[in-house]
């Protein structure tokens, strides 16, 4: 019997990357944080010949990439702070958002490369505008290895918002060009923003995996779960936990995926799976390890694979059903979902 699996198509990943490259002259850094958006960190080994570097969120993720023999630059997007491990790998690049984080760099490894992270309006990470002169003076005085500066747009769908942040960022760093040779502002939004916003590097995440505003991009990953049991259930009988009862005679497939795998437990809704090309409603409550689908109108047998995410069941549709965004759907896929890599 087949297992619960995610099929990651590396050919589609490559094709998406080529589309992205055709839209910019900037260097491409692939964002592989959060297990490469659920696709598996090991995709970095495939991407390495085709990208200029990588971005991760944590120091642990950076070390994991080094373990995969990644030798190209790896930007850690989280700021250096007390207790952070400055890694002994020359290709790991840090983010500094305060004088204190710059001081940690100086104390542990003054040669460690880093970008100054600037808060241009998102109010998450990065130094505020008034802090920047103090940080830059510290960098200059201590001859630290600053590669440049970065910021992050909070709403790239709005050109007005992006333009406001971009102008604030450019104004803030203008007098430090000798210390800030490179900049990066854009993530996957680079595909919709004018090229002058791109800077030297774009950090490509969601678009790389096939989602976003560019219609030529295709999803890289599909998820399939096996049918482990089929039951004939009579009208008025319970299905699964709780009080759910079927209002008619039906044929129910028990599918081996549940909230323990990142397939969320929601009580109400119209979620479906695709069973041999037929859309079938998920009925009752999703369990930790299983869900149940009404296959009364489908042809199916025990052992058949059900499409949970894929061309027949888009992740975007599932996100709408959850009331969330596709990022959460992808990154929620758990370790029990076996990743299989194909090139076709």
């Amino acid at each position: 019997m087949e297992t619960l699996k995610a099929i990651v198509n590396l050919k589609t990943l490559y094709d998406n990357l080529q589309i992205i490259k055709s839209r910019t002259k900037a260097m491409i850094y692939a964002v592989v944080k959060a297990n490469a958006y659920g696709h598996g960190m090991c995709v970095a080994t495939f991407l390495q010949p085709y990208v200029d570097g990588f971005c991760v969120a944590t120091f642990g993720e950076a070390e994991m990439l080094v373990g995969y023999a990644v030798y190209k630059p790896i930007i850690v997007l989280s700021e250096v702070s007390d207790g952070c491990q400055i890694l002994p790998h020359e290709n790991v690049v840090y983010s500094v958002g305060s004088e204190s984080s710059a001081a940690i760099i100086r104390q542990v490894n003054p040669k460690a490369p880093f970008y100054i992270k600037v808060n241009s309006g998102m109010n998450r990470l990065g130094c505020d505008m008034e802090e920047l002169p103090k940080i830059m003076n510290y960098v200059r005085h201590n001859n630290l290895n600053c590669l440049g500066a970065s910021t992050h747009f909070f709403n790239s769908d709005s050109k007005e918002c992006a333009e406001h942040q971009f102008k604030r960022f450019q104004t803030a760093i203008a007098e430090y060009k000798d210390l800030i040779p490179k900049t990066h502002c854009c993530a996957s939004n680079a595909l919709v923003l004018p090229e002058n916003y791109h800077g030297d590097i774009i950090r490509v995440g969601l678009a790389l995996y096939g989602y976003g505003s560019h219609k030529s991009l295709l999803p890289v990953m599909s998820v399939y779960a096996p049918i482990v049991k089929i039951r004939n259930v009579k009208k008025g009988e319970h299905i699964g936990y709780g009080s759910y009862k079927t209002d008619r005679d039906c044929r129910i497939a028990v599918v081996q995926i549940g909230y323990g795998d990142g397939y969320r437990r929601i009580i109400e809704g119209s979620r479906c799976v695709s069973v041999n090309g037929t859309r079938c409603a998920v009925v009752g409550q999703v369990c930790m390890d299983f869900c149940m689908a009404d296959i009364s109108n489908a042809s199916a047998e025990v052992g058949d694979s059900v499409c949970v995410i894929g061309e027949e069941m888009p992740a975007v549709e599932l996100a709408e059903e959850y009331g969330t965004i596709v990022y959460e759907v992808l990154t929620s896929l758990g370790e029990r979902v076996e990743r299989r890599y194909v090139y076709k």
Side-chain angles (χ1 to χ4, degrees):
M1 181 183 291
E2 279 284 7
T3 60
L4 171 59
K5 62 184 183 294
I7 305 298
V8 179
N9 191 332
L10 298 177
K11 175 65 164 57
T12 305
L13 186 66
Y14 176 82
D15 290 342
N16 288 343
L17 179 59
Q18 299 313 305
I19 292 169
I20 294 163
K21 283 185 172 184
S22 72
R23 297 295 300 273
T24 183
K25 296 176 183 176
M27 291 186 289
I28 304 292
Y29 276 47
V31 182
V32 292
K33 63 181 181 176
N35 201 26
Y37 290 47
H39 294 70
M41 287 281 278
C42 60
V43 299
T45 59
F46 170 78
L47 288 168
Q48 183 157 231
Y50 312 113
V51 297
D52 300 290
F54 297 91
C55 295
V56 295
T58 69
F59 299 93
E61 289 176 335
E63 197 151 35
M64 190 180 300
L65 286 189
V66 172
Y68 282 126
V70 168
Y71 56 84
K72 289 189 174 178
I74 304 166
I75 299 176
V76 181
L77 298 173
S78 298
E79 293 178 20
V80 172
S81 60
D82 287 336
C84 289
Q85 181 185 7
I86 303 299
L87 302 171
H89 314 296
E90 293 182 357
N91 62 321
V92 176
V93 181
Y94 300 90
S95 294
V96 165
S98 65
E99 185 179 357
S100 62
S101 59
I104 293 170
I105 293 283
R106 176 181 175 274
Q107 181 180 5
V108 179
N109 181 6
K111 295 182 179 180
F114 61 89
Y115 285 90
I116 302 292
K117 187 179 283 283
V118 179
N119 172 30
S120 60
M122 188 169 182
N123 290 314
R124 188 175 63 178
L125 299 180
C127 67
D128 292 333
M129 300 297 182
E130 58 270 20
E131 296 179 87
L132 188 60
K134 191 175 182 181
I135 296 171
M136 297 315 299
N137 288 337
Y138 186 91
V139 169
R140 191 189 302 276
H141 179 74
N142 291 282
N143 196 30
L144 299 181
N145 188 14
C146 180
L147 301 183
S150 69
T151 195
H152 195 61
F153 296 134
F154 61 81
N155 184 6
S156 58
D157 293 332
S158 167
K159 186 179 178 181
E160 182 180 352
C161 289
E163 183 178 13
H164 175 70
Q165 279 191 262
F166 186 68
K167 286 181 176 178
R168 291 193 71 204
F169 176 65
Q170 290 294 321
T171 300
I173 67 173
E175 61 182 287
Y176 306 109
K177 290 298 184 181
D178 60 321
L179 296 175
I180 300 178
K182 295 179 181 178
T183 62
H184 56 97
C185 308
C186 288
S188 293
N189 49 33
L191 296 179
V192 295
L193 290 173
E195 194 166 348
N196 63 298
Y197 289 73
H198 294 187
D200 299 283
I201 296 168
I202 64 169
R203 311 176 299 258
V204 183
L206 196 65
L208 188 62
Y209 305 109
Y211 300 91
S213 58
H214 200 291
K215 295 181 179 179
S216 298
L217 301 171
L218 294 175
V220 170
M221 180 168 61
S222 302
V223 178
Y224 299 91
I227 294 174
V228 297
K229 191 93 172 177
I230 293 177
R231 290 187 178 280
N232 293 312
V233 179
K234 298 292 185 182
K235 178 180 178 179
E237 290 187 338
H238 288 269
I239 297 175
Y241 288 115
S243 58
Y244 179 84
K245 294 180 181 180
T246 180
D247 59 2
R248 58 185 174 81
D249 292 353
C250 56
R251 191 165 175 249
I252 297 298
V254 180
V255 182
Q256 192 175 337
I257 188 171
Y259 59 78
D261 308 295
Y263 194 60
R264 280 174 45 178
R265 177 184 180 274
I266 53 176
I267 306 303
E268 296 180 356
S270 55
R271 190 176 356 177
C272 293
V273 293
S274 180
V275 181
N276 294 325
T278 301
R279 290 172 70 94
C280 299
V282 174
V283 294
Q285 295 182 20
V286 172
C287 311
M288 183 181 292
D289 311 305
F290 303 99
C291 67
M292 280 66 77
D294 184 344
I295 60 168
S296 300
N297 297 320
S299 174
E301 298 178 357
V302 170
D304 286 353
S305 282
V306 167
C307 179
V308 178
I309 295 174
E311 186 176 354
E312 304 161 53
M313 289 302 310
V316 173
E317 183 178 318
L318 189 57
E320 290 173 355
E321 184 67 28
Y322 287 168
T324 187
I325 54 177
V326 73
Y327 293 83
E328 185 178 354
V329 172
L330 298 174
T331 59
S332 295
L333 292 172
E335 294 181 357
R336 297 193 306 191
V337 184
E338 177 192 353
R339 273 68 171 179
R340 297 185 187 178
Y341 299 91
V342 300
Y343 189 91
K344 62 181 182 180

